Amino acid sequence: MGKNKKRLTTSSGAPVGDNQNSITAGNRGPVLLQDVHLLEKLAHFDRERIPERVVHAKGAGAYGYFEVTNDEISKYTKADFLNEKGKRTPMFIRFSTVAGELGSADTVRDPRGFAVKFYTQEGNYDLVGNNTPIFFIRDAIKFPDFIHTQKRNPQTNLKDKNAVWDFWSQSPESMHQITYLHGDRGIPATYRHMNGYGSHTYKWVNEEGEAFWVKYHFISDQGVKGLDVDLADELAGTNPDYHTEDLFNAIEAGDYPSWTLYVQIIPFEDYKTYKWDLFDVTKTVSQKDYPRIEVGKMVLNRNPQNYFAEVEQAALSPAHFVPGIEASPDKMLQGRLFSYSDTQRYRLGVNHEQLPVNRPIVETNNYQRAGAMQYGQQVSPINYEPNRYDEEPKEDASVDINPFEVEGQADSVPYDSSDHYTQAGDLYRLMSHDEQDRLVQNFVDHMKPVTINEIKLRQIGHFYKADPDLGTRVAEGLGLEVPAEVKNEATE
């Protein structure tokens, strides 16, 4: 062996003498139990897979930076990484589909995850959104049921259109999202050619303690492009990793994709009087009412070196806030604050934030101890607080959350608004005639496999309430008629 060549070793660092032949009794065997190199290889191989994410299993990731371009953002938030024009913050992003498994196709009709981790000087801030500004449901208690309908039938192990449309037709709050999803943006051309949204309303707090509500919009500098349905179906079979490949190749070639971040700033008291509930994630907030303000630019310029270590083990959670950015009462967000971190505890272990891709760039100081795969960063013998030792970590009241008032009685209650149709109808009417034609055809094609007419008719009723033209055209495409009671209700 040449002196400049790397020696093959075991995981404990011992050099390996023969990696082609196991240790056997003679040339025919059997294999001896003392072949610890063989045992280690097989044992490690048997454990190479970890549980995939229940949602957002298939994805791609990249590193880059975020640079502030507006020196007035500090008027609205005391977040350190946003307080100065020209300030750059390293970041990581993971794009993904929602419903498919780890080996599923990139080019299916599905929302795309748009999850950004900012490595700030005050800890990691994760903005975990989608490429759609709204969502299917608005209360986290419905999320497990919703995702079950998007996964495989527990008996047949096949995708189940009856379940999909049964749930949607009995959850009319989904109308806005499914209209968006079945439009031209429902299958992005690439990850580079789609926008990203925080979807939820969040709260910003400035140095004076003044609070604002905020909506995030990442607008693609490459433009927004959709994929033709037939081409998407073809790519799903011939190149199921099409979006993953495109992102990697673009960055590798130096064609760095970028997005401009805008926010809608909403005065705090407006939540009491605005025409839509600001905390209902199935609704958008009009840019006419609250224009977008530019914040900065995100640029992706580095590919991961190891997909498993840096993308599969990336753990992003909307619970990762920094001072100046806080949660809103949004019921869907409130559930995600727990669930996203908890799924990573299950997949990766309680110490997953010590992994390089998840580790903050600042020192962490707390009294959490032990657990699987603990690196041992916490070396102090003091593992409790409060304590008498001034050199040990202490709480800082200056970064406590901004107080907010609550009202009403504790009960299982829905949002006040039951108007699930106006914004979905407005979206349909904003489309060109060609876009409307494609939307109707996408609905028809997606609903044709449904074998229960009751489900189809119920959903047609929702379409009709959003816009009579939409409901009538989908009904005709399915060889059905709009239910008479729906028409009568619309004319009353």
Side-chain angles (χ1 to χ4, degrees):
M1 176 179 179
K3 63 179 181 179
N4 293 325
K5 289 187 177 180
K6 288 184 180 179
R7 287 203 298 184
L8 181 67
T9 72
T10 65
S11 59
S12 58
V16 173
D18 191 335
N19 194 43
Q20 314 306 317
N21 305 287
S22 54
I23 299 175
T24 59
N27 65 325
R28 289 182 173 174
V31 176
L32 301 187
L33 187 61
Q34 76 173 56
D35 192 346
V36 292
H37 175 51
L38 169 66
L39 300 183
E40 179 185 275
K41 282 187 70 174
L42 294 178
H44 191 282
F45 177 75
D46 292 342
R47 293 164 176 80
E48 282 186 356
R49 297 296 176 265
I50 61 174
E52 67 176 42
R53 294 167 175 84
V54 178
V55 289
H56 298 279
K58 174 70 179 295
Y63 295 94
Y65 64 86
F66 177 78
E67 182 172 340
V68 178
T69 56
N70 185 340
D71 58 6
E72 296 190 346
I73 296 303
S74 60
K75 293 193 305 184
Y76 307 109
T77 176
K78 61 184 178 182
D80 175 78
F81 78 106
L82 298 176
N83 67 3
E84 182 182 353
K85 183 177 181 180
K87 177 174 278 191
R88 281 193 178 188
T89 299
M91 46 73 57
F92 172 85
I93 190 167
R94 185 175 184 271
F95 303 107
S96 58
T97 52
V98 173
E101 299 93 349
L102 192 57
S104 58
D106 286 346
T107 57
V108 295
R109 186 174 299 280
D110 198 20
R112 299 307 191 272
F114 196 103
V116 187
K117 183 182 291 291
F118 299 92
Y119 302 98
T120 88
Q121 293 299 320
E122 296 181 306
N124 290 348
Y125 173 51
D126 292 355
L127 183 58
V128 187
N130 285 324
N131 72 327
T132 62
I134 63 276
F135 198 61
F136 300 93
I137 54 176
R138 52 186 182 172
D139 193 316
I141 201 168
K142 298 183 74 169
F143 190 70
D145 302 287
F146 165 58
I147 293 301
H148 284 168
T149 71
Q150 304 296 302
K151 296 291 187 177
R152 296 179 181 273
N153 181 288
Q155 179 183 25
T156 65
N157 200 40
L158 301 173
K159 294 298 184 71
D160 188 345
K161 293 297 191 294
N162 282 345
V164 169
W165 287 101
D166 188 22
F167 181 88
W168 282 344
S169 69
Q170 301 203 63
S171 303
E173 67 269 30
S174 66
M175 264 299 302
H176 195 185
Q177 173 76 322
I178 66 173
T179 303
Y180 192 102
L181 179 63
H182 288 79
D184 287 353
R185 297 190 179 194
I187 310 176
T190 75
Y191 287 136
R192 298 179 296 126
H193 293 91
M194 67 182 193
N195 295 337
Y197 303 90
S199 299
H200 304 288
T201 298
Y202 290 90
K203 183 165 67 172
W204 276 7
V205 182
N206 65 18
E207 289 285 1
E208 288 71 44
E210 186 179 9
F212 305 86
W213 304 113
V214 62
K215 291 276 194 180
Y216 293 92
H217 304 249
F218 286 88
I219 305 304
S220 172
D221 294 329
Q222 294 71 235
V224 174
K225 298 179 183 178
L227 204 57
D228 174 78
V229 175
D230 293 333
L231 177 57
D233 286 344
E234 178 186 337
L235 287 169
T238 60
N239 187 1
D241 303 316
Y242 176 74
H243 286 165
T244 304
E245 181 181 55
D246 173 85
L247 179 68
F248 185 92
N249 288 346
I251 295 173
E252 205 71 2
D255 183 12
Y256 302 141
S258 63
W259 286 257
T260 301
L261 173 61
Y262 298 86
V263 292
Q264 289 174 280
I265 299 292
I266 305 163
F268 185 82
E269 292 296 321
D270 284 17
Y271 82 93
K272 299 176 180 178
T273 57
Y274 190 58
K275 57 189 174 184
W276 302 107
D277 194 319
L278 290 179
F279 313 125
D280 178 351
V281 74
T282 67
K283 305 293 191 297
T284 56
V285 173
S286 173
Q287 294 177 39
K288 294 179 181 178
D289 297 331
Y290 304 102
R292 293 190 309 207
I293 299 171
E294 183 174 326
V295 178
K297 189 176 290 290
M298 177 178 74
V299 179
L300 306 183
N301 59 8
R302 180 164 65 90
N303 280 316
Q305 294 299 305
N306 184 300
Y307 179 90
F308 179 84
E310 300 170 76
V311 182
E312 185 61 19
Q313 292 193 134
L316 295 100
S317 169
H320 293 162
F321 292 112
V322 292
I325 305 176
E326 300 176 8
S328 77
D330 180 331
K331 297 179 185 181
M332 191 67 198
L333 172 61
Q334 293 283 319
R336 294 178 74 217
L337 296 179
F338 165 75
S339 189
Y340 271 64
S341 291
D342 195 54
T343 197
Q344 305 301 347
R345 297 183 190 106
Y346 165 67
R347 296 179 61 244
L348 305 171
V350 72
N351 291 306
H352 63 268
E353 292 191 62
Q354 296 177 15
L355 294 167
V357 68
N358 302 320
R359 191 165 56 228
I361 59 175
V362 294
E363 186 177 57
T364 58
N365 299 296
N366 55 55
Y367 296 92
Q368 298 169 7
R369 292 295 187 271
M373 303 303 292
Q374 167 61 252
Y375 284 20
Q377 286 101 324
Q378 311 292 2
V379 296
S380 170
I382 308 304
N383 62 354
Y384 61 91
E385 200 279 333
N387 59 60
R388 62 182 292 272
Y389 302 98
D390 290 340
E391 67 273 15
E392 297 298 331
K394 297 292 188 291
E395 62 195 36
D396 179 359
S398 71
V399 296
D400 204 1
I401 68 165
N402 181 261
F404 60 94
E405 63 181 25
V406 294
E407 60 185 13
Q409 294 180 313
D411 196 1
S412 299
V413 291
Y415 284 92
D416 289 337
S417 173
S418 59
D419 181 357
H420 308 304
Y421 306 108
T422 297
Q423 289 201 1
D426 288 344
L427 178 59
Y428 176 71
R429 290 182 287 274
L430 278 172
M431 297 178 180
S432 68
H433 291 306
D434 287 345
E435 289 177 300
Q436 290 179 351
D437 290 345
R438 290 190 291 272
L439 175 72
V440 169
Q441 191 60 52
N442 290 334
F443 276 137
V444 170
D445 290 343
H446 198 183
M447 293 179 68
K448 275 183 178 178
V450 176
T451 60
I452 302 171
N453 273 352
E454 173 196 346
I455 295 174
K456 293 179 181 178
L457 292 171
R458 189 188 303 123
Q459 187 62 49
I460 287 169
H462 296 314
F463 291 144
Y464 192 87
K465 291 176 183 178
D467 189 283
D469 179 67
L470 173 60
T472 301
R473 294 181 65 187
V474 173
E476 290 174 351
L478 293 170
L480 299 169
E481 294 185 0
V482 177
E485 61 270 20
V486 174
K487 290 183 176 180
N488 294 336
E489 182 181 341
T491 58
E492 290 177 356

